[in-house]
Amino acid sequence: MIPRNYLLMFTLALSVVVLVVVLVHSRGFGGRPAAQMEINLHKKTQAELDNPSGALKFKATRNKSCPQAALCGSTNKTVEMHLESIPLNTLKFLLHGMVSSAEFNCTTLKYFGKLGAGIYPVCMNSSSIIPKPKNCLVYSFGISHDWSFDEDFAKYGCEVHSFDPSIGKPDHIHPPNISFHNLGLMGFDFTLGNGWKYMKLSSIRRMLGHQNRVIDVLKVDTEGAEWSFLRSVVVDDVDELLTVKQMIVELHTPTGGSRAMTSYDYAEVIQYLLELRRLGFLVHVSFQSNSCCANFTPLFPPGLAEKCCHETSYVNSRYLVV
């Protein structure tokens, strides 16, 4: 039997979800009508795909004391909906629902990589988002020592670029014809004291001459750095994701193993995910089978088995032409 307090908490969280959705669709974060960004999946034209409407930029004042942090904590000024005033467990349910509930029904999935931590699903539902062999581009951030996802896409016929500064390998061509880059993904360009180099997505695309190319699949498994990346593409470089068709992100506890998540932390990441949704990205599948709790603090709401991370796959609804 489900405990009474669990049902009450779930009901409260569901009410908050409804409230947030209503606010997002009626006003938007900056007070602009949501109609400016509303995406109608059944009335997409080629002109809209070629010239998508400007992404909503919500007001953001960076906390200068934490330029390399995944989150900026209670002094962060990006939270405009006052989500931080909602009870902590309710925010946990809200975040969990946002990253684990499917918003798009992908009836055809193809898995790339080998069983285990190296396998990822790609939606093959619509001809407009299916990677076309010999004419597709894949970015894969986070390799460790498992190249199976990248190798499968190279064999499929895509141009594949793999990134990971942590495995101690120089730039090289990995068989079969995968371009490996000894750098990682962040929301800004910098180099750690140990020599690991990080760049934001716009800098990487500029370095590779891909500013005007569509990325068919963007895979991000960067052990916590994904939040800095997400912050950058919904605050500063909002145009970068408009030319990404599918994105697979492993979402870890943003605070790592340093401290527990606070209401401000949850409010901040929820706002980033709401902005991601406004850019057109819809969850089509999510897994929580890979436990991350050896390195990350608890993330899940009470009553659910703690995994400390979500592997969430998105489709960009701007490319869903019917």
Side-chain angles (χ1 to χ4, degrees):
M1 179 171 294
I2 301 176
R4 180 180 176 82
N5 61 346
Y6 181 84
L7 288 173
L8 289 173
M9 187 64 69
F10 181 80
T11 302
L12 179 58
L14 183 60
S15 300
V16 172
V17 171
V18 173
L19 175 61
V20 169
V21 170
V22 169
L23 286 171
V24 168
H25 283 273
S26 63
R27 293 293 298 168
F29 285 114
R32 293 164 55 186
Q36 294 181 15
M37 283 293 296
E38 189 62 29
I39 297 167
N40 189 327
L41 303 185
H42 302 288
K43 295 183 179 180
K44 195 76 80 264
T45 66
Q46 189 60 47
E48 289 176 308
L49 292 178
D50 293 337
N51 298 287
S53 60
L56 179 68
K57 296 183 180 181
F58 59 85
K59 181 180 178 181
T61 302
R62 289 180 178 273
N63 178 357
K64 301 300 183 182
S65 66
C66 62
Q68 295 184 12
L71 301 178
C72 288
S74 60
T75 57
N76 176 59
K77 303 301 182 183
T78 63
V79 180
E80 297 177 0
M81 293 182 67
H82 303 291
L83 294 173
E84 71 279 4
S85 63
I86 296 172
L88 180 61
N89 282 340
T90 306
L91 290 171
K92 291 181 179 181
F93 276 104
L94 178 55
L95 176 61
H96 185 83
M98 291 178 69
V99 297
S100 63
S101 301
E103 302 170 285
F104 174 73
N105 181 25
C106 183
T107 57
T108 306
L109 289 175
K110 181 177 178 63
Y111 288 86
F112 290 81
K114 67 181 181 182
L115 288 175
I119 191 167
Y120 300 91
V122 174
C123 185
M124 310 290 276
N125 222 54
S126 166
S127 61
S128 57
I129 61 171
I130 295 175
K132 305 298 190 296
K134 298 183 179 180
N135 187 31
C136 49
L137 178 63
V138 175
Y139 279 14
S140 175
F141 292 96
I143 306 300
S144 186
H145 297 287
D146 188 343
W147 294 83
S148 58
F149 172 83
D150 311 65
E151 291 169 348
D152 277 0
F153 255 118
K155 294 172 184 175
Y156 178 83
C158 291
E159 177 183 341
V160 180
H161 292 264
S162 306
F163 308 81
D164 197 325
S166 71
I167 60 177
K169 293 184 180 293
D171 293 358
H172 68 280
I173 300 298
H174 178 88
N177 200 31
I178 297 168
S179 298
F180 174 78
H181 307 274
N182 183 26
L183 58 89
L185 179 68
M186 270 280 190
F188 42 89
D189 301 343
F190 77 105
T191 302
L192 285 177
N194 62 4
W196 292 3
K197 184 178 180 180
Y198 291 87
M199 298 174 70
K200 59 184 181 178
L201 182 61
S202 58
S203 297
I204 291 172
R205 295 180 80 161
R206 189 162 49 249
M207 177 187 75
L208 298 176
H210 294 165
Q211 302 98 311
N212 299 318
R213 290 191 61 183
V214 169
I215 298 175
D216 290 88
V217 179
L218 171 64
K219 187 265 285 184
V220 181
D221 185 359
T222 53
E223 306 304 313
E226 66 274 5
W227 292 108
S228 174
F229 154 69
L230 287 173
R231 181 174 64 193
S232 73
V233 293
V234 300
V235 175
D236 299 320
D237 297 330
V238 293
D239 291 338
E240 287 302 315
L241 290 185
L242 297 181
T243 49
V244 174
K245 289 186 176 182
Q246 298 195 50
M247 181 167 65
I248 305 164
V249 188
E250 188 163 291
L251 299 167
H252 305 78
T253 308
T255 56
S258 58
R259 61 176 174 84
M261 290 275 285
T262 67
S263 294
Y264 279 97
D265 296 329
Y266 279 99
E268 188 173 341
V269 299
I270 286 170
Q271 182 155 330
Y272 296 157
L273 293 175
L274 285 170
E275 285 300 308
L276 188 63
R277 171 62 180 81
R278 290 178 65 83
L279 287 172
F281 283 84
L282 306 178
V283 175
H284 72 84
V285 67
S286 179
F287 299 101
Q288 300 84 40
S289 59
N290 178 31
S291 178
C292 302
C293 294
N295 300 311
F296 294 91
T297 53
L299 178 67
F300 282 34
L304 298 180
E306 183 62 64
K307 298 296 178 73
C308 303
C309 65
H310 293 266
E311 185 183 293
T312 303
S313 299
Y314 295 88
V315 293
N316 186 344
S317 60
R318 295 176 182 275
Y319 288 92
L320 294 174
V321 181
V322 293

